[in-house]
Amino acid sequence: MQDLVNIFVKSVFIDNMIFAYFLGMCSYLAVSKTVKTAVGLGAAVIFVLGITVPINYLLENYVLKAGALAWVPFVDLADVDLSFLSFIMFIAVIASMVQLVEMIVEKLSPALYGALGIFLPLIAVNCSILGGALFMQERQYSTIAEATAFGLGSGFGWLLAIVAIAAIREKIRYSNVPAPLRGLGITFIITGLMGIAFMSFMGIQL
Amino acid sequence: MSEKKEALFSKKNRKLMTDPLDGSNPISVQVLGICSALAITVQVEQAFVMSLAVMAVLIFGNLIVSGMRNLIPSRIRIIVQLVIVAALVILVNELLKAFMPDVSEKLSVFVGLIITNCIIMGRLEAFALANKVWPSILDAIGNGLGYGWILVVIAFFRELFGSGKIFGLQIIPESFYEAGYMNNNMMILPPMALITVALIIWVQRSKNTDLIEEN
C-alpha cells in the first residue's frame, strides 16, 4: 500500500506529465482558456489513463516483452520478443479504448458524456496517454496495481496542471501583458514558472 | 486537360515550403508538436536527430496519406493515419537503435511519442488529406524544417548556457571558468525550455506584428 501511495504521489507532483515531461502540451495549451473545460478534459485524461495503462501493462507483460509469451501451452514461444511492435499495439489499444469508453459512457451516463463527450476523441492523440504507456514500459512496474497507481497519478497531475493554468489565464486577461507575449508567450512563461515551483517537490518520499 | 501543368517549384509550391519557417511556424504559431519538442532540447545533437526523425516521418506520412487520400473512408481516417504513422515511427526507432544507440537511449520514450506528435496528425489532417502528393511532400519538408529550426535554436541556447558546449564540444574556454564563470544549471532543467520558447515567440512576434494574439 505504501508503495502504491508513493508511486501515486510521485507521478502527481515530481514526475508531473506537463511540468517534467511536457506531455499533452498541445491540448494543455489549446483547452486551458476556461477552468470549466479544463476540468472536463482533465477528468477525461484521468479516466483514460486509469484504463489504458493497466491494459497496456497486461499487453506488455503477457504478449510483447521478451519471453512474455512463455505462458502459451503446447508451443515453445519463450524466446519470442515482440517488443518492436509495442508502439503500434499501444496506440491501437488507446484508440480503441477511447472509442469504447466513449460508447459506454454515452450509454450509461449521459450526464458524464455531456461533460466529457467532446474531449474523448481528442484524447486518442494526446501525447500524455501514449506517454503514460511508454513510461510504464520503460520503468517496468512490478504489479498491475503499481501500473494503475502510476496511470491515475499521472492523470491527476495533468488535471492539476491544466486547471491551475486555466485559472491563471482567466485572471491574466485583465493584466497588461506586452503585446508580442500575449496569449501563447505568456502561457509558456507561466508554465515554466509553475514548473520551477513544482520542482520543490523533488525528493519527497512517503 | 485544360489545366496547365504546374512547375515543380512554382511560386505557390515554394510558399508551401517557406511559410512554415516563419509566418505559420508549427511550434510558435500553430502550437503543434510542443509535446515532444521541449524535453529533448537539452543538447543540440538530440534536438537535431529528433528533428530529422520527425521530418522523415512527416514526409513519408504525408506522401502515403496523400497518395491514399481517395481510398481512406473519412470515418476511420484517424485510425488509418495512426497506423501509418506508427509503422513509420517503428522504422525510425529501429534505425536509431541500430545506428545511433546512445542518442536513441537519451531520446527514450520521445521517439515513440512522435506517433502522437500533433504536427504529424495536424499536417496529415489539414493538408495531406486534401492535396496532391507533390505539394504534400513540400508541405512536410517545410513544416519539418520549421519544427527543426526552433528545436535546434532552443537546444543551442540551453546547451551553451547550461553546459558550455555545442554538439558536445566545449565552447566556453577553460579560462572563463577559472575567472569565476559558472554554467547555469537552470538551463538544463525542463522549465527553462518553456521559457526559452516564450522568448523565441516574443522575438518573432515583435518582428511580425500580424501574429500578435488577443489577450
Side-chain angles (χ1 to χ4, degrees):
Chain A
M1 198 60 211
Q2 181 100 22
D3 282 354
L4 296 184
V5 177
N6 214 346
I7 289 176
F8 183 84
V9 170
K10 198 158 175 267
S11 45
V12 174
F13 293 108
I14 302 165
D15 292 334
N16 188 294
M17 281 282 181
I18 295 274
F19 299 128
Y21 299 107
F22 315 107
L23 296 181
M25 211 63 188
C26 303
S27 21
Y28 168 86
L29 293 170
V31 195
S32 62
K33 292 211 171 91
T34 56
V35 173
K36 206 170 162 235
T37 49
V39 172
L41 185 64
V45 166
I46 300 186
F47 205 58
V48 174
L49 265 177
I51 293 173
T52 54
V53 171
I55 293 182
N56 281 328
Y57 177 85
L58 293 178
L59 196 67
E60 159 81 3
N61 279 284
Y62 293 102
V63 181
L64 296 174
K65 215 159 71 175
L69 281 172
W71 56 272
V72 178
F74 309 122
V75 256
D76 183 24
L77 295 176
D79 15 289
V80 177
D81 180 2
L82 292 177
S83 52
F84 68 95
L85 279 178
S86 53
F87 293 163
I88 212 162
M89 293 300 280
F90 287 169
I91 198 73
V93 165
I94 289 167
S96 47
M97 279 320 292
V98 168
Q99 203 95 86
L100 203 67
V101 166
E102 196 182 345
M103 286 180 335
I104 293 174
V105 172
E106 191 180 6
K107 202 98 195 155
L108 293 184
S109 160
L112 185 63
Y113 182 75
L116 298 185
I118 43 165
F119 299 117
L120 281 172
L122 260 179
I123 282 185
V125 285
N126 185 322
C127 327
S128 61
I129 311 288
L130 184 63
L134 294 176
F135 276 123
M136 174 276 298
Q137 183 188 33
E138 197 182 74
R139 291 181 193 156
Q140 305 196 329
Y141 290 108
S142 54
T143 64
I144 189 167
E146 283 184 19
T148 317
F150 162 73
L152 289 174
S154 303
F156 196 75
W158 203 87
L159 171 91
L160 207 65
I162 195 172
V163 171
I165 193 79
I168 295 176
R169 281 181 87 173
E170 277 189 1
K171 293 289 172 228
I172 214 154
R173 232 169 274 154
Y174 307 109
S175 21
N176 193 8
V177 180
L181 269 181
R182 271 180 203 154
L184 195 56
I186 196 73
T187 314
F188 272 121
I189 291 189
I190 295 169
T191 311
L193 294 178
M194 274 162 47
I196 294 175
F198 263 67
M199 280 166 53
S200 59
F201 290 113
M202 215 171 265
I204 286 185
Q205 280 281 329
L206 282 185
Chain B
M1 291 301 253
S2 59
E3 203 181 325
K4 215 182 93 194
K5 201 168 182 315
E6 233 183 322
L8 280 185
F9 285 100
S10 65
K11 204 166 175 208
K12 206 173 103 219
N13 282 346
R14 273 207 310 273
K15 209 166 144 46
L16 285 177
M17 260 177 81
T18 50
D19 252 10
L21 294 183
D22 184 34
S24 62
N25 188 287
I27 292 193
S28 64
V29 181
Q30 301 178 55
V31 212
L32 297 174
I34 315 273
C35 322
S36 52
L38 300 176
I40 42 85
T41 48
V42 179
Q43 288 170 342
V44 180
E45 193 189 8
Q46 288 171 41
F48 196 69
V49 172
M50 183 72 181
S51 320
L52 285 183
V54 168
M55 204 156 125
V57 174
L58 194 53
I59 291 173
F60 285 103
N62 259 6
L63 180 98
I64 295 171
V65 170
S66 150
M68 287 170 50
R69 69 185 184 283
N70 297 324
L71 301 173
I72 303 175
S74 72
R75 281 187 68 89
I76 57 160
R77 63 178 197 285
I78 303 257
I79 305 226
V80 173
Q81 288 164 11
L82 277 177
V83 171
I84 293 171
V85 174
L88 289 170
V89 171
I90 290 178
L91 284 180
V92 167
N93 189 36
E94 298 292 315
L95 283 175
L96 278 182
K97 264 191 204 155
F99 293 107
M100 301 172 134
D102 48 330
V103 180
S104 159
E105 185 98 329
K106 278 187 201 144
L107 291 174
S108 75
V109 302
F110 291 98
V111 179
L113 286 172
I114 297 178
I115 299 173
T116 48
N117 193 317
C118 328
I119 288 188
I120 299 197
M121 292 302 281
R123 289 331 288 173
L124 293 182
E125 277 280 296
F127 201 88
L129 271 179
N131 284 283
K132 294 209 184 95
V133 174
W134 177 244
S136 304
I137 295 178
L138 291 180
D139 180 75
I141 297 177
N143 278 286
L145 288 176
Y147 172 85
W149 83 257
I150 299 255
L151 238 66
V152 171
V153 168
I154 303 170
F156 177 83
F157 286 113
R158 286 183 77 190
E159 194 176 1
L160 180 65
F161 294 117
S163 46
K165 295 173 182 167
I166 297 294
F167 270 109
L169 297 171
Q170 192 70 35
I171 292 289
I172 297 188
E174 203 56 38
S175 53
F176 274 45
Y177 290 100
E178 279 157 22
Y181 176 85
M182 296 242 284
N183 285 328
N184 185 350
N185 284 331
M186 199 67 193
M187 292 302 281
I188 302 178
L189 299 173
M192 282 314 285
L194 291 163
I195 293 175
T196 319
V197 179
L199 295 179
I200 292 178
I201 291 175
W202 195 351
V203 172
Q204 192 193 16
R205 292 192 182 180
S206 37
K207 281 191 172 159
N208 192 344
T209 42
D210 298 343
L211 298 173
I212 291 177
E213 289 174 62
E214 288 286 305
N215 205 352

